[in-house]
Amino acid sequence: LLDNGRTDTLADEVGRQALRCIRCSACLNVCPVYERTGGHAYGSVYPGPIGAILSPQLRGMGSEIDQSLPYASSLCGACYEVCPVAIDIPEVLVHLRERVAEGGDVVRNGARITVRPAKGHAAERAAIRAAAWALGRPGVLRTGQRLASRTRRLHPRRLPGPGKAWTASRELPAVPAESFRDWWQRTNGGRGETK
């Protein structure tokens, strides 16, 4: 029998649903990312959304292409809506993204091993930790929003460093003059605003 990583995939409680795929290509027909990139961008015989979750599980996440495949999706959910065997592809994509960014326990060749986080994700992990800290403290969030609105004229239109490539084709959205929380308080929940 030819296993090709399927036993290891079966050991993953979230990712195992990818093995139910009947290769109908319904997910490929509705995927906006696959529509733009085509099949060769996935580097596997399994293209599209199903390839983005199946290939990294079957081959492992040792290569850059397999680490990047879970990110080849907008998470719009169209693939899940059309899947005749109800594979929750967005759920598996998020699960695999977490494994890439944070590492964790996986089964590889029948043995349980701990995978290290992918290189280059330290800044992402730090940003998520900082956001979780700020969002968990309403006073800090309120102060940050007010500070951002008061200094909005000083904000750059383009990001430096790793964000430079992202802002090469788009500008950062403008920070509003007033946060939603302040607007809500000032207008008494929108009742005090004239139409």
Side-chain angles (χ1 to χ4, degrees):
L1 295 174
L2 189 61
D3 184 68
N4 277 353
R6 284 169 177 77
T7 302
D8 297 339
T9 304
L10 188 62
D12 185 344
E13 293 184 17
V14 176
R16 72 172 55 154
Q17 57 187 305
L19 296 174
R20 293 196 314 248
C21 180
I22 59 173
R23 311 290 185 265
C24 69
S25 299
C27 60
L28 278 65
N29 293 331
V30 298
C31 180
V33 175
Y34 178 77
E35 178 185 339
R36 297 283 182 211
T37 62
H40 294 292
Y42 292 85
S44 169
V45 295
Y46 305 112
I50 192 65
I53 65 170
L54 193 54
S55 296
Q57 292 187 89
L58 296 179
R59 297 189 302 208
M61 297 215 181
S63 70
E64 281 190 27
I65 185 98
D66 289 320
Q67 291 174 0
S68 69
L69 282 176
Y71 294 92
S73 172
S74 65
L75 298 177
C76 67
C79 51
Y80 179 45
E81 291 176 13
V82 299
C83 183
V85 291
I87 299 171
D88 192 349
I89 293 174
E91 176 190 30
V92 180
L93 286 166
V94 169
H95 171 69
L96 293 175
R97 287 178 183 187
E98 179 183 13
R99 185 179 299 157
V100 169
E102 297 181 6
D105 292 338
V106 297
V107 176
R108 194 52 52 217
N109 299 321
R112 186 164 293 283
I113 62 170
T114 301
V115 178
R116 293 178 185 251
K119 293 179 181 173
H121 287 274
E124 179 183 351
R125 286 192 302 276
I128 295 297
R129 275 193 228 107
W133 181 83
L135 293 171
R137 291 163 179 78
V140 171
L141 181 62
R142 187 178 313 112
T143 302
Q145 288 172 333
R146 287 182 179 153
L147 181 65
S149 68
R150 290 185 180 128
T151 61
R152 71 182 194 279
R153 286 177 179 56
L154 304 174
H155 295 188
R157 287 289 189 204
R158 305 265 187 248
L159 290 175
K164 187 175 184 179
W166 188 80
T167 56
S169 60
R170 62 186 67 79
E171 287 187 354
L172 290 173
V175 175
E178 176 178 44
S179 72
F180 175 79
R181 185 187 312 233
D182 290 341
W183 171 85
W184 185 265
Q185 191 173 17
R186 181 178 54 79
T187 64
N188 193 20
R191 290 186 287 269
E193 194 167 84
T194 57
K195 304 216 182 218

